[in-house]
Amino acid sequence: MKNFGPIQIGPLTIAQPVLLAPMTGVTDLPFRTIVKRYGAGLTVTEMIASQAMVRETRQSIQKCAWHPSEEPVSMQLAGCDPEVMAEAAKLNADRGAAIIDINMGCPVKKVVNGDAGSALMRDLPLAARLIEATVKAVDVPVTLKMRMGWDHSSLNAPELARIAEDLGIQLIVVHGRTRCQLYKGSADWAFVRKVKDAVRLPVIVNGDICTLDDVDAALDQSGADGVMIGRGAYGKPWLLGQAIAWLTQGRRLADPSLAEQYAVIVEHYRAMLDLYGNEIGVNMARKHLGWYTKGLTGSAEFRNAVNQQASAATVLDMLEAFYAPLIDAPLSLAA
């Protein structure tokens, strides 16, 4: 495998070729901060609807909050109106975004029905107008995240990539699925090579990258310049740091000890309570607690119990009670 080094996004140098994917409801400020501490070349905010950003809704402001450790900050926008996207991009740049990322990959019905996300891969003229307006609106680099196409009869990612490059996009991320696949089947990393061959820009491969072996295979098959890890980081915010150590030093780092994992979970949980308040924070944290504890002895029973609990303090007590005996006997993994 070739040596993987920095990625250039316009004037910005991203030191490590491992990026955290934007995931709605997951990659919020608390999660991104922990991932960045373990190691990530770049983190990207959750997808922000451009219309909501222009209206400066409470949720959009919350989503574009960032920590200085994340710099340079990439903020992702979704929308279908070039003028609104341009205005939202300006607002985000004014708020400190060093990179604006355009979402043309989200497959969720609510987004697609609004002619945004991966729906734009069915309308390349509109996609082009959206890209052009966004690039012209800001002085910071603009990047693009897409899928292979709408379905397997319209695999037009290479064509969209060429259009994007001509209009000033500085980096492209390709999720190796079509919109119609949603998250089913397997990501086609080999297809991403067609996009890489179509442009001179850095191209990042995304989809189903959950282990270091996946990192190797995705890069080998795609010829990409780096990887973007999404669902593989569920409950494993240290995975990106492990991927960086592997790609840049050839070292396979072990997972943190259970004691360290417990400390991370408590930190993550408290940060979510601080950001969202106790009621919303408890609800939003449940999925993370499930991911962190998956595979540990008694985890299914723990998840069932903790998911019924509305008290933030009680959840912390339950976490301590669950992890204490496991930390004392660190080999207690479920079969």
Side-chain angles (χ1 to χ4, degrees), residues 104 121 124 127-128 131 144-148 155-174 191-204:
M104 293 192 186
M121 299 197 76
L124 295 192
I131 292 168
L144 177 64
K145 191 169 190 291
M146 64 171 81
R147 288 195 164 216
M148 299 193 300
L155 300 176
N156 58 357
E159 182 183 358
L160 178 55
R162 283 190 291 268
I163 292 169
E165 181 177 37
D166 290 343
L167 292 172
I169 288 292
Q170 301 291 328
L171 173 140
I172 292 170
V173 178
V174 185
F191 178 86
V192 178
R193 187 176 287 274
K194 296 182 180 180
V195 179
K196 177 62 182 169
D197 291 343
V199 296
R200 298 177 300 277
L201 298 173
V203 172
I204 306 298

Side-chain angles (χ1 to χ4, degrees), residues 120-243:
L120 288 159
M121 299 197 76
R122 291 189 297 184
D123 189 345
L124 295 192
L126 175 57
R129 293 197 299 275
L130 205 75
I131 292 168
E132 184 175 25
T134 307
V135 169
K136 286 182 176 178
V138 294
D139 294 327
V140 300
V142 180
T143 60
L144 177 64
K145 191 169 190 291
M146 64 171 81
R147 288 195 164 216
M148 299 193 300
W150 178 258
D151 56 28
H152 277 88
S153 67
S154 57
L155 300 176
N156 58 357
E159 182 183 358
L160 178 55
R162 283 190 291 268
I163 292 169
E165 181 177 37
D166 290 343
L167 292 172
I169 288 292
Q170 301 291 328
L171 173 140
I172 292 170
V173 178
V174 185
H175 182 124
R177 283 185 175 86
T178 65
R179 185 274 160 178
C180 290
Q181 283 182 277
L182 299 176
Y183 293 99
K184 297 172 184 173
S186 300
D188 185 351
W189 300 322
F191 178 86
V192 178
R193 187 176 287 274
K194 296 182 180 180
V195 179
K196 177 62 182 169
D197 291 343
V199 296
R200 298 177 300 277
L201 298 173
V203 172
I204 306 298
V205 61
N206 172 231
D208 290 352
I209 301 173
C210 301
T211 67
L212 297 187
D213 288 341
D214 292 339
V215 170
D216 280 351
L219 289 169
D220 183 55
Q221 292 176 32
S222 67
D225 301 284
V227 295
M228 176 173 273
I229 295 176
R231 289 178 295 162
Y234 284 1
K236 296 184 291 184
W238 43 84
L239 177 61
L240 280 80
Q242 291 171 321

Side-chain angles (χ1 to χ4, degrees), residues 271-306:
M272 292 188 77
L273 298 179
D274 289 343
L275 181 63
Y276 299 112
N278 280 8
E279 184 177 352
I280 296 174
V282 167
N283 289 335
M284 292 190 67
R286 285 173 180 157
K287 56 181 174 286
H288 288 285
L289 300 184
W291 294 328
Y292 278 120
T293 57
K294 185 178 180 181
L296 296 175
T297 299
S299 60
E301 293 81 1
F302 168 78
R303 288 194 297 273
N304 290 337
V306 84

